[in-house]
Amino acid sequence: MKVDVLLGLQWGDEGKGKIVDVLAPKYDVVARFQGGPNAGHTLEFDGIKHVLHQIPSGIFRDKTRNIIGNGVVLDPIVFKTEIEKLNKYNLNVRANLYISKKATLIVPSHRLLDQAYEKAKGVDKIGSTLKGIGPSYQDKIGRQGLRVGDVLSENFEAKFKKLTEIHFEILKNHAIDFNWPELEAQFFEAITFLKGFNLIDSEYFINDELKKNSSVLAEGAQGSLLDIDFGSYPFVTSSNTVTAGACTGLGVSPSRIGEVYGIFKAYSTRVGSGPFPTELLDDQGEKMRRDGNEFGSTTGRPRRCGWLDLPSLKYSIMINGVTQLLMMKADVLCEFPVIKVCTHYKLSDGTITESLPYEIVNQKIAPVYTELPGWNTPLTGVTEADMPKELIDYIHFLEKALEVPITLISIGPDRKQTILRSKVKA
Ligand code: GDP
Ligand code: IMO
Ligand code: MG
């Protein structure tokens, strides 16, 4: 069997959690391959909303095994809180969750460093979630990080001390307040908790499952425009959020990749700093934020909102090799009489282009829009058979421009508010 990948094509928060939960019954294994507690993946069913940060979104399906892969940075304190929140739902979490020994650990001083670096950047700050993502990946790449498997070694405390002393040397130069004994105690309590879980060589686990013909879904975090290589650098996260990240973050060969589900909102949002060519700073943007409840799942920050941006979507589709598109939050646009779509960029020298320019941060990019009529009707209870004509036209317009079929339309946050388009099924 192959590994199918589901990932965001925009700046994150496209609705990955909802769709992984919808697709999970089709999969034996769901695996996160990068990112960490900066992610906030929302699932809704039976009138309850759940937000997962590090635990894969297949956890509510009792036949699905869930893996936190080697490419993830794991904060044991956040992990403990997440598991405790799930306790009341009677899930078989201890049996159905596996964690790679090669996943990198986030220690409390990574969060302090994140704060220090952001503060030092001043107005140029990234707008990080401050979960310690950048500093923990820095330590991984700098070959001094701690990994989940290290918690099983006798000298784990000494390794922790050695790493945190390096951090304290840096923190000396920054005015960050913290109570270390408290943070340390919290960390070690969480480490004891973590040791009670299945800590495994997940690359063997996944490849053995593939040999046994099990189906595997890789769940991306963040979005392609936040990718460390291809996003709007430096306003990005610190991992490869694209399909290739699933290979390195799980230990599966590129030849094993099957379907690539690219998920996008019917409009655009971004949280944190950085370029956003189609951003709406007016009443329309405010309306999208209100109707779409566009507030961060992890930090609660208001998300910046704007129209759909085809040059960047095409770029994401190209980098990821997307085979199916999934369009989310179509319901949010139901009161917009006119829907705009950016088809090209006008650069500061007057050039009109469909490509993302290298200089995206220090150049004013003006979107060139096409206007389409809105559907002007609520989508509650709508099925494939009775979708409004204007919505169908919008879908056809996008499929033509993007050259990839849109196989799923989401019309609300609940699991059930999902339309699978039968005619275009790949
Ligand atoms: P993720 O990070 O990609 O999993 O996305 P988030 O969970 O951060 O943000 C998506 C938000 O949109 C969540 O609050 C979801 O409950 C909500 N959502 C998902 N799909 C839809 C949809 O089709 N319509 C509406 N109105 N909300 C949706
Ligand atoms: P999910 O998986 C949206 C953004 C932050 C910031 C930048 C760097 O829920 O889609 P970091 O904490 O990684 O140092 O932040 O990336 N960011 C996200 N935006 N959704 C996310 O995850 C994000 N994870 C990070 O806002 O701009
Ligand atoms: Mg999110």
Side-chain angles (χ1 to χ4, degrees), residues 11-17 38-42 51-53 222 271 295-298 303:
W11 286 284
D13 302 330
E14 295 89 350
K16 299 176 290 293
N38 49 350
H41 293 183
T42 313
V51 182
L52 298 171
H53 301 285
Q222 290 77 59
V271 59
F295 295 89
S297 314
T298 298
R303 296 177 182 144

Side-chain angles (χ1 to χ4, degrees), residues 18 57-58 70 107-108 133 142 154 160 172 186 204 211 213 217 243 245 254 265 274 304 308 351 376 389 399 406:
K18 166 178 166 165
S57 302
N70 57 280
V107 302
I133 306 298
E154 274 175 17
F160 173 81
K172 268 201 316 213
Q186 224 183 359
Y204 277 115
K211 262 193 219 152
N213 255 348
L217 179 65
T243 307
K265 285 178 188 169
R304 301 155 66 192
L308 198 59
T351 311
N376 276 309
K389 178 181 178 304
E399 285 182 320
I406 299 179

Side-chain angles (χ1 to χ4, degrees), residues 72-319:
V72 169
V73 283
L74 184 83
D75 185 329
I77 299 173
V78 178
F79 175 75
K80 181 166 177 278
T81 311
E82 269 195 89
I83 297 283
E84 285 168 351
K85 270 198 190 144
L86 292 179
N87 278 347
K88 61 174 177 253
Y89 300 109
N90 241 344
L91 306 172
N92 211 356
V93 178
R94 277 181 202 263
N96 283 346
L97 183 63
Y98 299 80
I99 305 168
S100 170
K101 285 196 231 168
K102 294 192 175 72
T104 297
L105 279 177
I106 299 181
V107 302
S109 38
H110 284 135
R111 276 185 274 126
L112 303 173
L113 287 170
D114 224 352
Q115 271 182 49
Y117 295 148
E118 279 285 79
K119 220 169 153 188
K121 287 194 168 89
V123 291
D124 295 326
K125 69 173 187 195
I126 309 292
S128 166
T129 59
L130 303 178
K131 301 292 178 189
I133 306 298
S136 56
Y137 275 119
Q138 257 177 320
D139 279 343
K140 170 181 175 173
I141 302 298
R143 298 164 295 181
Q144 60 184 16
L146 292 177
R147 306 199 290 182
V148 167
D150 293 337
V151 305
L152 304 172
S153 78
E154 274 175 17
N155 60 349
F156 177 64
E157 283 195 33
K159 286 182 178 172
F160 173 81
K161 196 158 186 288
K162 192 169 163 200
L163 180 64
T164 50
E165 272 168 8
I166 298 171
H167 296 165
F168 293 148
E169 269 308 301
I170 306 169
L171 286 166
K172 268 201 316 213
N173 303 315
H174 298 268
I176 299 288
D177 290 332
F178 56 92
N179 178 337
W180 188 248
E182 204 175 284
L183 292 174
E184 197 177 33
Q186 224 183 359
F187 179 76
F188 279 102
E189 198 187 316
I191 291 294
T192 306
F193 182 79
L194 180 65
K195 282 185 186 170
F197 284 79
N198 302 303
L199 310 183
I200 61 162
D201 295 310
S202 61
E203 63 279 32
Y204 277 115
F205 183 101
I206 293 177
N207 283 289
D208 287 347
E209 287 296 322
L210 290 171
K211 262 193 219 152
K212 285 191 273 181
N213 255 348
S214 296
S215 50
V216 179
L217 179 65
E219 172 180 3
Q222 290 77 59
S224 303
L225 305 176
L226 290 171
D227 180 89
I228 184 72
D229 283 282
F230 300 106
S232 44
Y233 193 88
F235 300 102
V236 292
T237 190
S238 300
S239 63
N240 280 118
T241 60
V242 295
T243 307
C247 296
T248 57
L250 296 176
V252 294
S253 132
S255 63
R256 282 286 195 184
I257 301 296
E259 292 292 324
V260 179
Y261 301 105
I263 178 165
F264 69 103
K265 285 178 188 169
Y267 50 98
S268 304
T269 65
R270 174 166 202 164
V271 59
S273 328
F276 184 176
T278 61
E279 181 168 17
L280 290 167
L281 298 166
D282 57 8
D283 292 353
Q284 289 200 300
E286 192 51 53
K287 184 169 171 53
M288 273 179 198
R289 183 158 36 251
R290 201 175 48 244
D291 295 356
N293 193 20
E294 295 295 358
F295 295 89
S297 314
T298 298
T299 58
R301 290 178 292 175
R303 296 177 182 144
R304 301 155 66 192
C305 297
W307 296 117
L308 198 59
D309 175 341
L310 295 189
S312 69
L313 263 187
K314 286 180 182 174
Y315 184 75
S316 296
I317 289 169
M318 173 182 80
I319 299 289

Side-chain angles (χ1 to χ4, degrees), residues 384 406-407 419-426:
E384 188 184 9
I406 299 179
T407 57
I419 302 173
L420 289 170
R421 293 182 69 221
S422 48
K423 278 195 223 98
V424 293
K425 258 289 37 206

